[in-house]
C-alpha cells in the first residue's frame, strides 16, 4: 500500500492507503474529518468539496495518492477557534443552510469563487454553484450568503 | 410581526440566528455516517437487478469464503421476523380492507422491483463487503413486469401480488358521487382535464445510512438511522418486525441531512441491520450510495387522473369529480396508502365553495420502488389538478383567471367542505390581493410585449390554494384507518440554576427546531434564549413522539412544548406563592417573574427553580423538581393558504422555459422566526419548481429505472432558479395556543400549477392549452411544433 503525506488544515498527516482510496474516504475515515460529506457517486453534488493547494476540488473524484504532497483545507480548517471565516459567518447570517449536509461543500466552493472573482454578480454565483446541490434552501439564501461573504472577505483572501 | 408572546420578551417573531449553524458550518455536525462504533463491521446490501422474477437458487458460498466476510444472510434467514408494516389501513368503496401482502425484510421467493434487497454481506471493511457481494450467484427467473400504472391496470397484466387482482390494492372514494355527478350534469358549463402527476425522487442530499448495535450483556439493541421520526421507527421495528420491547430498543436519529418524506418510512434496511447486529453481537454499518438511493429510497407522486368541473353562467363551481390512479410501487411503505387518499381526496375543495365534490382513487401495485410521502404528499397532486382545472374553466368562459378564483372563494369560517375537512380560519382574498400587487400582475401585458420584442413568449400563471397540515387529530385519523395516534410530546426541564432543556418528539433535519422551539420557551418562560437547549432524535432521551412530517412540528410539537411550559408555570406559581406568602391566585407570571398582584414582591423563575431543587422552604405536599411533560393531540388540521404567481419566458425556437419571477403570498399562521419560515418557503418552492420544470423519474417497460443517477435525473441547480419574492399575510390558527399553522410544504404544494399555468399562458397565443410536468424544453418545443402543424 502506498504511503501518502499531505498537509491537512495546517498539519502534516501520513497514512498508508490503497491505491484506489478516494481523498474523501482518506479524510473521513483515516483522519476522522467527517465535515466533508458524500452525497453522490457521479461527481455532481459537491458535498465533498475541499481545497487542494488553494483551489476547490471534489474530493470524491480525486485519489488520496493524487493529493500526496498537497496542502489540503477542509471545512474543519476554516475557522480560527471560535472565530468563523467570513464566508461561514455569512452563511449563518443569511440562513444559507438548513440541514447542513451540503454546507461544507458550498462554503468551500464559495470561498474558491471569491478567491478567483472577488465581487461576483448574482448570476456568476449561481453559475459557479452549478456543481453544488442543495435540496433544502432553494439556493436563494445561499446566493445571498455568498455575495455577503465575498464582501466580507474584502475581495478574496 | 413583532414579538407578542404571552410574556412579551420579543423572542417570538424575531429572526434569531440558528443555534444549530455553528456545528454545521464548522464540520462538526454528526450525521449517521459520521458515527463509528468500536468493533464496527460494514454491510453491503445486494439488490435485485431485475424488476420481477422468481428467485431460484441464491448461492452465497463464494461470498462467505471471501476475505474479511463475517456473515451473509438472505431472505429465508429472516423469515421468522414480521413483515415491514404499513401505517394506514384503507378500505375500498365496498367496505373491504385493502390488499396488504406481507413485506419481507429481504426477498423470499420473488423479487418485485429493481433495488429490492436480496442479501446482506457483512465484512470487516466496506470494500470487502461490496466485493464479496459480487460473488453471490442469483438465479433470477424473470417474469414480465408491470412497470407503470397503465401496464399494471391493463387486461392480463402481470400480477405483482397474486392476491391483488388487477394489481389493485384498494378502490377508495370520498365525497358524494351522486351529488357531484348530478351537479355536473346540470351545470351550465363543464371542463375536463387529464393530468399526469409524474413520479419524483426525493433526493435528500444525505444518503440514508444505518448502524445496528447489540449489547449482549443488557440485551439492548441500538439503531442509529437517518430518520425523521425515531419513536415511530422504534414502534414499527420493535412491535411489528423484530418483536423487541421498547426498553431494549433505542433509536437514535442524529443530525439528518434532509428528509422531505423519504426518511419517514420504516425501511427494511433498519430491520436488517438491527437484526444482523444481534446475530453477530457487533455493530454493523450500512451507508447508501446515491445509485442505491435511487432504487431504494421511497419515491413520490405518480398519479394519473381525470377530472371534470361543472360551473354556472357566472363561473361559480357547482360540482367536481376526480378519478385517480395512484402508483404505490411494489410494497406498501409506511404512509403509502394514506398519501393518495386521506392526504389527497380531502383537499379538493381547495379555497373554493364547490358544494358537491367526489374523488375516487385506485391504489395500484407496480414493479417499481415503493412510493411514499414526498414534500406535500398528496396535497401537491390535488392542488395541481384543481388549479389547472380552474384555469381551464377561465379559458372556457372567458372569465378572467383571477376573477373566477375570487368568485368562488370561501369567506365564512368555520367552513365545512364536502370532503371531510373543516377549515377553521383563512383570508384568501388577502393573500390573493397581496400576490397580485407584489407580482405586479396588472403590469404584465407590458412585460409580455417587451418580451415579444425580443422574440420571447412570456406568460404569467397563478394558483390559489389551501393545504391541510399539522397532522393530525388522533381520533379523526384513527377513524380513517391510521394505526397510530398523531399527537406530539414535549418535555421542559428547568434546571436548578434556571437553564432549560427541552425535549421534543419531533425531529429536525433542516427545519431549525433547536432555534424555533427555544424561542417559544424563552418567550413563554421569560428566560434567555441562550439558556434554552432543545434535544431531539434519541428515544432514550425523549419521552415519546411521532416525529416530523406533514408540517406538524410546530403546530403539534411546538404546542406540546408550549403546554409543558404552562405546566411548569403552574407549578412555579405554587412555589412562588409559598415563598411570597401569598395565595396562589394572587400570583401573576410575566417576563420570567412571579409577582404578587398589585405589589412589587416577586420571585424569578430562576429563584423558583432553585427552590424546587433545594426544597427547604417548600409548599407542603408538592413534589420537588421543575420538569413537566405534555402530550398534545391537535383538535383539527391547520390550514395554511396562499397565492403563488409565476412568470416565465419561453424561447419559441428551442422550447426552453426560463422562470423569471416567482411570487408567494402566504398565510402560514403566526410566525415564530421569519428567517426560518422564509427559508422553508424557498426550499418548498424549489422543490415545486423542480417538479414543474425539471424532475421526472422514469422506468422502462421492464421496470428498469431510466433516471437512476444525477446524470439523468434533473435536480434544480442554483442557475435554474430565480430569487423568490415572499410575502406574508397572517391569520392565526384558532385551535392551538400559538396560532401557528405550518410552512414546510407550502412551496411544493402551491407553485407547480402556477408555473404550468404560466407556461400554458405563454404558449396560448399558439393554441397550446395543456402542458404536462415537467415542462422541459423538449416537451415545450414539441407542443409548439404540434400547435403550428395544426395551423
Ligand atoms: S460526493 Fe457528490 S460530487 Fe463528490
Ligand atoms: S442545507 Fe440541506 S442540502 Fe443544503
Amino acid at each position: 500500500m502506498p504511503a501518502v503525506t499531505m498537509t491537512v488544515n495546517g498539519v502534516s498527516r501520513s497514512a498508508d492507503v490503497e491505491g484506489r482510496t478516494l481523498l474523501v474516504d482518506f479524510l473521513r475515515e483515516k483522519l476522522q474529518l467527517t465535515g466533508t460529506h458524500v452525497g453522490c457517486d457521479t461527481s455532481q453534488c459537491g458535498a465533498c468539496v475541499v481545497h487542494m493547494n488553494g483551489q476547490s476540488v471534489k474530493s470524491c473524484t480525486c485519489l488520496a495518492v493524487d493529493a500526496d504532497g498537497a496542502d489540503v483545507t477542509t471545512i474543519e480548517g476554516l475557522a480560527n477557534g471560535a472565530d468563523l471565516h467570513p464566508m461561514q459567518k455569512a452563511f449563518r447570517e443569511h440562513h444559507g443552510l438548513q440541514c447542513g449536509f451540503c454546507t461544507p461543500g458550498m462554503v468551500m466552493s464559495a470561498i474558491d469563487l471569491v478567491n478567483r472573482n472577488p465581487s461576483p454578480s448574482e448570476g456568476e454565483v449561481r453559475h459557479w454553484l452549478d456543481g453544488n446541490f442543495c435540496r433544502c434552501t432553494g439556493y436563494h439564501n445561499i446566493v445571498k450568503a455568498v455575495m455577503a461573504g465575498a464582501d466580507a472577505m474584502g475581495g478574496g483572501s | 410581526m413583532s414579538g407578542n408572546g404571552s410574556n412579551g420578551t420579543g423572542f417570538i417573531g424575531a429572526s434569531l440566528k440558528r443555534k444549530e449553524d455553528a456545528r454545521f458550518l464548522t464540520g462538526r455536525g454528526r450525521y449517521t455516517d459520521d458515527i463509528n462504533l468500536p468493533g464496527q463491521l460494514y454491510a453491503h446490501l445486494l439488490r435485485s437487478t431485475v424488476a420481477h422474477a422468481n428467485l431460484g437458487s441464491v448461492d452465497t458460498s463464494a461470498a462467505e469464503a471471501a476475505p474479511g466476510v463475517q456473515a451473509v444472510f438472505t431472505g429465508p434467514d429472516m423469515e421468522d421476523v414480521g413483515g415491514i408494516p404499513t401505517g394506514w389501513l384503507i378500505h375500498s368503496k365496498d367496505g373491504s380492507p385493502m390488499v396488504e401482502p406481507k413485506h419481507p425484510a429481504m426477498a423470499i421467493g420473488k423479487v418485485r422491483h429493481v433495488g429490492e434487497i436480496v442479501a446482506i454481506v457483512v465484512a470487516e471493511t466496506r470494500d470487502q463487503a461490496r466485493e464479496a457481494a459480487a460473488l453471490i450467484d442469483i438465479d433470477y427467473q424473470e417474469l414480465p413486469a408491470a412497470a407503470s400504472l397503465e401496464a399494471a391496470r391493463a387486461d392480463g397484466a402481470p400480477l405483482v401480488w397474486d392476491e391483488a387482482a388487477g394489481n389493485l390494492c384498494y378502490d377508495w372514494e370520498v365525497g358524494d358521487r351522486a351529488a357531484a355527478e348530478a351537479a355536473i350534469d346540470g351545470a351550465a358549463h363543464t371542463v375536463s382535464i387529464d393530468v399526469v402527476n409524474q413520479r419524483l425522487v426525493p433526493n435528500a442530499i444525505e444518503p440514508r445510512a444505518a448502524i445496528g448495535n447489540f449489547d449482549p450483556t443488557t440485551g439492548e439493541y441500538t439503531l442509529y438511522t437517518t430518520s425523521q421520526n425515531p419513536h415511530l421507527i422504534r414502534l414499527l421495528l420493535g412491535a411489528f418486525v423484530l418483536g423487541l420491547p421498547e426498553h431494549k430498543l433505542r433509536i437514535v436519529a442524529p443530525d439528518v441531512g434532509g428528509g422531505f418524506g423519504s426518511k419517514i418510512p420504516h425501511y427494511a434496511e433498519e430491520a436488517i441491520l438491527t437484526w444482523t447486529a444481534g446475530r453477530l453481537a457487533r455493530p454493523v454499518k450500512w451507508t447508501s450510495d446515491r445509485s442505491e438511493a435511487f432504487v431504494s429510497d421511497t419515491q413520490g407522486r405518480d398519479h394519473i387522473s381525470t377530472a371534470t368541473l361543472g360551473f354556472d353562467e357566472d363561473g361559480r363551481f357547482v360540482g367536481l369529480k376526480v378519478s385517480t390512479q395512484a402508483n404505490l410501487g411494489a410494497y406498501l411503505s409506511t404512509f403509502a396508502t394514506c398519501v393518495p387518499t386521506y392526504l389527497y381526496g380531502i383537499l379538493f375543495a381547495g379555497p373554493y365553495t364547490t358544494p358537491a365534490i367526489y374523488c375516487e382513487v385506485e391504489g395500484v401495485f407496480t414493479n417499481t420502488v415503493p412510493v411514499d410521502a414526498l414534500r406535500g404528499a398528496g396535497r401537491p397532486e390535488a392542488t395541481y389538478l384543481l388549479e389547472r382545472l380552474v384555469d381551464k374553466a377561465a379559458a372556457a368562459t372567458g372569465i378572467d383567471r383571477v376573477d373566477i378564483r375570487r368568485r368562488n372563494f370561501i369567506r365564512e369560517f368555520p367552513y365545512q367542505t364536502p370532503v371531510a375537512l373543516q377549515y377553521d380560519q383563512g383570508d384568501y382574498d388577502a393573500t390573493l390581493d397581496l400576490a397580485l400587487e407584489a407580482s405586479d400582475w396588472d403590469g404584465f401585458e407590458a412585460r409580455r410585449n417587451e418580451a415579444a420584442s425580443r422574440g420571447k413568449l412570456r406568460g404569467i400563471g397563478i394558483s390559489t390554494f389551501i393545504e391541510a397540515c399539522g397532522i393530525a387529530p388522533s381520533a379523526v385519523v384513527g377513524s380513517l384507518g391510521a394505526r397510530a395516534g398523531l399527537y406530539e410530546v414535549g418535555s421542559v426541564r428547568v434546571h436548578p440554576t434556571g437553564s432549560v432543556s427541552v425535549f421534543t418528539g419531533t425531529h429536525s433535519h433542516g427545519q431549525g427546531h433547536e432555534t424555533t422551539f427555544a424561542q417559544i420557551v424563552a418567550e413563554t418562560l421569560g428566560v434567555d434564549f441562550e439558556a434554552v437547549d432543545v434535544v431531539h432524535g434519541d428515544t432514550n432521551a425523549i419521552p415519546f413522539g411521532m416525529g416530523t412530517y406533514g408540517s406538524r412540528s410546530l403546530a403539534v410539537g411546538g404546542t406540546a412544548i408550549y403546554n409543558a411550559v404552562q405546566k411548569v408555570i403552574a407549578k412555579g406559581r405554587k412555589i412562588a406563592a409559598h415563598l411570597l406568602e401569598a395565595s396562589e391566585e394572587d400570583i401573576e407570571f410575566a417576563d420570567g417573574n412571579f409577582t404578587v398582584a398589585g405589589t412589587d414582591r416577586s420571585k424569578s423563575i430562576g429563584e423558583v427553580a432553585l427552590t424546587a431543587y433545594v426544597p427547604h422552604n417548600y409548599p407542603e405536599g408538592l413534589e420537588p423538581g421543575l420538569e413537566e411533560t405534555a402530550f398534545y393531540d391537535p383538535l383539527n388540521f391547520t390550514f395554511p393558504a396562499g397565492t403563488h404567481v409565476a412568470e416565465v419566458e419561453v424561447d419559441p425556437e428551442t422550447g426552453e422555459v426560463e422562470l423569471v419571477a416567482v411570487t408567494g403570498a402566504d398565510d402560514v399562521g403566526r410566525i415564530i422566526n421569519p428567517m426560518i419560515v422564509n427559508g422553508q418557503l424557498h426550499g418548498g418552492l424549489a422543490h415545486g419548481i423542480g417538479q414543474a420544470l425539471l424532475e421526472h423519474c422514469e422506468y422502462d417497460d421492464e421496470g428498469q429505472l431510466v433516471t437512476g443517477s444525477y446524470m439523468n435525473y434533473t435536480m434544480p441547480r442554483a442557475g435554474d432558479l430565480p430569487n423568490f419574492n415572499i410575502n406574508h399575510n397572517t391569520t392565526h390558527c384558532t385551535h392551538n395556543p400559538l396560532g401557528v399553522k405550518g410552512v414546510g410544504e407550502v412551496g411544493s404544494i402551491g407553485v407547480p400549477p402556477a408555473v404550468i399555468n404560466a407556461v400554458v399562458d405563454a404558449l396560448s397565443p399558439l393554441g397550446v392549452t395543456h402542458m404536462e410536468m415537467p415542462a422541459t424544453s423538449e416537451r415545450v418545443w414539441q407542443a409548439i411544433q404540434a400547435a403550428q402543424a395544426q395551423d
Side-chain angles (χ1 to χ4, degrees):
Chain A
M1 278 207 262
V4 295
T5 300
M6 64 187 91
T7 303
V8 181
N9 300 332
V11 180
S12 174
R13 311 293 298 257
S14 300
D16 292 334
V17 297
E18 289 186 55
R20 63 180 170 177
T21 301
L22 300 171
L23 177 59
V24 67
D25 292 331
F26 176 80
L27 295 169
R28 287 182 56 81
E29 280 159 31
K30 289 267 191 232
L31 306 187
Q32 274 85 53
L33 291 171
T34 54
T36 301
H37 297 152
V38 178
C40 75
D41 45 17
T42 51
S43 195
Q44 268 156 328
C45 75
C48 61
V49 170
V50 300
H51 288 183
M52 200 199 291
N53 299 325
Q55 297 196 345
S56 58
V57 296
K58 288 182 167 169
S59 63
C60 73
T61 315
C62 171
L63 295 171
V65 291
D66 289 338
D68 194 26
D71 188 0
V72 173
T73 305
T74 70
I75 189 74
E76 289 93 342
L78 280 188
N80 188 357
D83 194 16
L84 298 181
H85 184 282
M87 190 60 79
Q88 290 171 309
K89 277 190 199 145
F91 268 69
R92 178 157 199 266
E93 194 61 28
H94 295 277
H95 191 30
L97 66 156
Q98 292 185 18
C99 79
F101 199 79
C102 72
T103 309
M106 284 287 178
V107 169
M108 297 311 287
S109 194
I111 292 172
D112 189 24
L113 165 65
V114 177
N115 286 341
R116 292 163 195 255
N117 177 358
S119 315
S121 68
E122 187 200 316
E124 287 169 333
V125 172
R126 288 187 181 271
H127 183 69
W128 176 264
L129 293 179
D130 201 47
N132 291 80
F133 287 166
C134 177
R135 195 57 146 169
C136 295
T137 64
Y139 303 101
H140 180 111
N141 284 345
I142 290 178
V143 174
K144 270 206 318 211
V146 174
M147 298 188 67
D151 274 352
M153 282 168 67
S157 64
Chain B
M1 346 180 346
S2 62
N4 57 351
S6 54
N7 296 310
T9 43
F11 293 114
I12 289 185
S15 287
L16 299 187
K17 305 307 169 207
R18 298 200 320 169
K19 285 174 178 278
E20 38 277 268
D21 287 356
R23 70 175 187 276
F24 293 145
L25 280 165
T26 55
R28 287 187 178 79
R30 192 162 175 263
Y31 302 88
T32 301
D33 189 52
D34 300 340
I35 295 166
N36 293 297
L37 302 178
Q40 174 179 289
L41 298 167
Y42 293 83
H44 183 88
L45 298 170
L46 186 66
R47 296 178 182 277
S48 177
T49 55
V50 299
H52 199 194
N54 286 318
L55 270 180
S57 63
V58 179
D59 182 356
T60 59
S61 54
E64 282 165 51
V69 171
Q70 297 295 310
V72 181
F73 298 112
T74 63
D77 294 314
M78 282 186 79
E79 193 153 20
D80 292 341
V81 312
I84 307 296
T86 304
W88 208 295
L89 173 65
I90 300 296
H91 287 88
S92 288
K93 291 170 183 166
D94 63 5
S96 61
M98 66 186 190
V99 179
E100 190 176 8
K102 183 176 175 184
H103 177 182
M106 286 191 279
I108 298 175
K110 223 178 189 193
V111 290
R112 294 184 174 81
H113 69 87
V114 170
E116 181 170 357
I117 304 166
V118 178
I120 177 171
V121 180
V122 184
E124 295 289 347
T125 71
R126 221 170 29 177
D127 287 339
Q128 286 172 336
R130 185 188 305 121
E131 283 158 16
L135 302 175
I136 295 178
D137 194 14
I138 303 172
D139 174 22
Y140 290 113
Q141 298 157 5
E142 280 198 60
L143 299 165
S148 65
L149 283 167
E150 295 92 333
R153 292 297 288 144
D155 287 342
L159 290 184
V160 181
W161 294 97
D162 294 340
E163 56 266 54
N167 290 311
L168 208 55
C169 176
Y170 53 71
D171 179 16
W172 172 89
E173 65 181 350
V174 68
D176 186 335
R177 179 182 199 121
E181 286 178 347
I184 289 167
D185 286 346
H189 304 281
T190 63
V191 283
S192 294
I193 197 168
D194 296 318
V195 292
V196 176
N197 203 291
Q198 84 272 29
R199 187 181 280 232
L200 303 177
V201 181
N203 272 316
I205 304 299
E206 180 205 24
R208 285 190 299 123
I211 309 170
N213 197 10
F214 176 63
D215 182 343
T217 62
T218 61
E220 194 194 25
Y221 288 81
T222 302
L223 174 70
Y224 295 84
T225 182
T226 47
S227 176
Q228 302 176 213
N229 28 250
H231 286 87
L232 193 60
I233 302 304
R234 187 180 66 175
L235 181 71
L236 298 175
L237 172 59
F240 293 91
V241 187
L242 297 185
L244 299 171
E246 285 88 344
H247 68 302
K248 296 295 183 193
L249 179 59
R250 175 186 178 198
I251 309 291
V252 183
D255 287 329
V256 171
F260 316 110
S262 70
K263 291 172 181 168
I264 300 170
H266 169 40
Y267 282 95
E269 289 86 347
E270 294 169 324
I272 297 167
L273 270 285
T274 307
W275 179 87
T276 301
R279 289 289 293 259
L280 303 179
R282 283 181 70 178
V284 185
K285 181 181 197 173
W286 162 78
T287 306
S288 174
D289 60 30
R290 182 57 57 185
S291 308
E292 193 175 3
F294 268 97
V295 294
S296 64
D297 292 0
T298 53
Q299 300 177 345
R301 318 273 194 262
D302 206 345
H303 288 192
I304 297 177
S305 299
T306 177
T308 301
L309 177 67
F311 45 100
D312 68 16
E313 293 292 356
D314 297 326
R316 293 212 168 72
F317 308 151
V318 297
L320 172 66
K321 182 182 173 198
V322 181
S323 301
T324 291
Q325 292 177 330
N327 193 336
L328 304 175
Y331 295 93
L332 298 180
S333 181
T334 305
F335 279 122
T337 53
C338 84
V339 169
T341 50
Y342 290 109
L343 292 179
Y344 172 72
I346 61 173
L347 263 288
F348 276 113
Y352 310 120
T353 54
T354 318
I357 301 175
Y358 173 76
C359 172
E360 58 186 348
V361 180
E362 291 182 351
V364 180
F365 290 112
T366 61
N367 292 113
T368 62
V369 172
V371 177
D372 206 309
L374 169 60
R375 201 167 197 164
R379 291 150 291 170
E381 295 91 316
T383 303
Y384 178 67
L385 187 150
L386 187 57
E387 288 303 291
R388 287 291 300 123
L389 257 181
V390 171
D391 254 32
K392 280 207 136 188
T397 53
I399 301 174
D400 175 74
R401 289 178 284 171
V402 171
D403 206 24
I404 198 168
R405 287 176 164 85
R406 221 189 267 283
R407 287 183 198 188
N408 286 283
F409 274 166
I410 297 162
R411 293 191 178 84
E412 279 166 31
F413 296 92
Y415 177 80
Q416 178 63 52
T417 75
V419 276
L421 294 176
Q422 190 185 76
Y423 305 164
D424 64 321
Q425 182 59 283
D427 186 346
Y428 309 138
D429 290 289
T431 42
L432 175 58
D433 290 340
L434 186 58
L436 295 177
E437 193 189 323
S439 65
D440 186 20
W441 180 273
D442 289 340
F444 174 71
E445 282 311 316
R447 297 195 292 281
R448 195 199 294 266
N449 293 337
E450 188 279 328
S453 73
R454 289 181 280 111
K456 295 286 173 65
L457 297 164
R458 190 151 171 144
I460 193 165
I462 193 165
S463 90
T464 52
F465 58 92
I466 64 103
E467 48 176 323
C469 291
I471 58 172
S474 296
V476 174
V477 296
S479 72
L480 302 178
R483 287 167 167 158
L486 288 172
Y487 51 86
E488 197 46 74
V489 185
S491 252
V492 173
R493 180 180 299 161
V494 185
H495 298 287
T497 62
S499 63
V500 184
S501 295
V502 179
F503 303 87
T504 174
T506 65
H507 186 278
S508 185
H509 30 280
Q511 297 88 340
H513 297 173
E514 292 167 40
T515 304
T516 301
F517 292 167
Q519 288 178 255
I520 293 171
V521 172
E523 173 102 12
T524 50
L525 205 52
V527 298
D528 194 52
F529 175 65
E530 295 304 330
V532 184
D533 270 354
V534 175
V535 181
H536 60 94
D538 184 343
T539 59
N540 273 18
I542 317 289
F544 201 69
M546 297 310 295
T548 287
Y549 38 81
S551 303
R552 70 191 301 276
S553 297
L554 181 57
V556 192
T559 301
I561 292 168
Y562 177 88
N563 287 351
V565 170
Q566 299 311 314
K567 287 186 179 180
V568 165
I569 293 170
K571 183 170 181 182
R573 197 185 298 275
K574 290 189 194 336
I575 299 168
H578 178 84
L579 294 175
L580 294 164
E581 297 176 342
S583 86
E584 203 185 316
E585 294 71 46
D586 290 340
I587 301 291
E588 291 171 346
F589 181 74
D591 292 341
N593 291 306
F594 296 92
T595 307
V596 182
T599 76
D600 59 359
R601 293 194 301 129
S602 75
K603 291 285 175 190
S604 71
I605 181 80
E607 290 172 292
V608 165
L610 188 61
T611 305
Y613 288 95
V614 188
H616 295 163
N617 175 18
Y618 204 64
E620 208 181 303
L622 191 67
E623 287 177 19
L626 198 53
E627 170 170 350
E628 297 289 344
T629 295
F631 282 59
Y632 172 69
D633 202 346
L635 297 170
N636 192 355
F637 293 83
T638 63
F639 299 100
T643 299
H644 288 174
V645 175
E647 212 163 315
V648 300
E649 279 189 11
V650 177
D651 183 336
E653 300 296 318
T654 64
E656 198 179 335
V657 178
E658 189 194 349
L659 185 61
V660 287
V662 174
T663 304
D666 293 292
D667 176 1
V668 301
R670 188 181 183 194
I671 293 173
I672 308 294
N673 184 319
M675 176 190 82
I676 288 177
V677 161
N678 287 346
Q680 290 294 307
L681 285 165
H682 297 159
L685 288 168
H687 230 128
I689 292 162
Q691 169 156 34
L693 294 178
L694 302 168
E695 301 182 38
H696 190 187
C697 172
E698 285 181 273
Y699 291 84
D700 70 13
D701 293 344
E702 273 80 53
Q704 293 291 337
L705 182 61
V706 179
T707 50
S709 83
Y710 289 150
M711 309 287 280
N712 37 32
Y713 184 89
T714 316
M715 290 276 282
R717 296 168 193 257
D720 295 319
L721 301 172
N723 280 317
F724 304 120
N725 180 357
I726 303 282
N727 307 270
H728 296 283
N729 181 77
T730 298
T731 66
H732 288 192
C733 174
T734 60
H735 54 80
N736 64 51
L738 290 165
V740 296
K741 296 184 182 176
V743 66
E745 298 164 294
V746 172
S748 57
I749 292 169
V751 88
V755 174
I756 295 298
N757 286 342
V759 172
V760 172
D761 182 50
L763 300 179
S764 61
L766 307 177
V768 173
T769 59
H770 187 58
M771 176 61 54
E772 295 284 8
M773 299 190 290
T776 59
S777 51
E778 183 192 350
R779 241 185 208 157
V780 171
W781 185 84
Q782 283 185 348
I784 294 170
Q785 300 308 306
Q788 285 172 345
Q790 281 188 355
D791 285 349

